[in-house]
Amino acid sequence: MPKVLIVYFSHGGNTRKMAEALAASIEQGGCEVSLKKVAEANLEDLRRADGVLLGAPCYFGSMANPMKTFIDESIPLFGKGELVGKAAGAFASTGGIGGGGELTILSMLHGLLIHGMVVQGLRKGGHFGPLAIGEPDQRVMDECAAYGAQFAELVNKLAV
Ligand SMILES: Cc1cc2nc3c(=O)[nH]c(=O)nc-3n(C[C@H](O)[C@H](O)[C@H](O)COP(=O)(O)O)c2cc1C
């Protein structure tokens, strides 16, 4: 069974709720999910995963610093291209509309793309990845379910 790693940072619980909804949907899609707080995740987790999702709140228009540090510390995997061709994606939580939510998702995608990972946009809903404004409501939960199903399909294809 393909392995998916979801790494998130969440101080107030909004991003965590999204991570949990994504995990449930990806498991339903036939993948084994490891759900980790960013402080608990390490390079071995990234090496083992067939697909990786990163989630963080928007802080000052970009990802919260612990997630940036996690991405920066993944540099040892870059040299040998250890993440090349693996599925990847990102999700975020913000305080308000126009507060930088999409920028936050894109800031995480930059790191994943630089590793040579494969990112699939979502045609319906949040195009760049699930995004919540404040506490995730039913719309966000539905979007996490749809994104998770699509992500599981991608991981199943790429991990053959
Ligand atoms: C230091 C800090 C900076 C923030 N900066 C922004 C911001 O630039 N734009 C925004 O929309 N919300 C901002 N917020 C609000 C958070 O993104 C929002 O409350 C989010 O839902 C928190 O997610 P969490 O519950 O997973 O910690 C900020 C919050 C903090 C603590």
Side-chain angles (χ1 to χ4, degrees):
M1 194 182 276
K3 295 180 180 56
V4 170
L5 172 69
I6 304 178
V7 182
Y8 69 93
F9 173 74
S10 182
H11 185 67
N14 294 336
T15 315
R16 176 178 51 75
K17 284 179 193 149
M18 298 173 78
E20 288 167 355
L22 284 159
S25 170
I26 292 167
E27 272 171 1
Q28 270 194 347
C31 299
E32 185 185 316
V33 177
S34 171
L35 180 61
K36 293 211 164 184
K37 292 180 188 163
V38 72
E40 295 166 355
N42 59 39
L43 295 186
E44 270 321 298
D45 295 319
L46 287 169
R47 279 197 182 96
R48 269 196 299 268
D50 298 299
V52 177
L53 286 183
L54 303 181
C58 169
Y59 280 10
F60 289 93
S62 189
M63 73 183 104
N65 186 57
M67 185 57 73
K68 179 67 167 80
T69 300
F70 179 69
I71 294 174
D72 290 352
E73 289 178 350
S74 70
I75 190 70
L77 306 184
F78 179 79
K80 290 185 190 160
E82 292 184 65
L83 301 181
V84 170
K86 295 184 181 193
F91 57 100
S93 167
T94 69
I97 294 170
E102 291 185 352
L103 293 171
T104 301
I105 292 176
L106 289 170
S107 67
M108 288 181 272
L109 293 184
H110 291 165
L112 299 167
L113 288 167
I114 288 167
H115 270 297
M117 302 182 86
V118 178
V119 174
Q120 184 179 16
L122 190 64
R123 238 162 39 81
K124 293 177 183 170
H127 299 314
F128 306 110
L131 176 62
I133 313 291
E135 193 171 348
D137 57 11
Q138 194 53 51
R139 181 198 66 77
V140 173
M141 287 304 179
D142 291 346
E143 193 160 295
C144 288
Y147 190 77
Q150 177 183 281
F151 192 71
E153 209 174 300
L154 180 67
V155 173
N156 278 304
K157 273 187 205 155
L158 294 180
V160 198

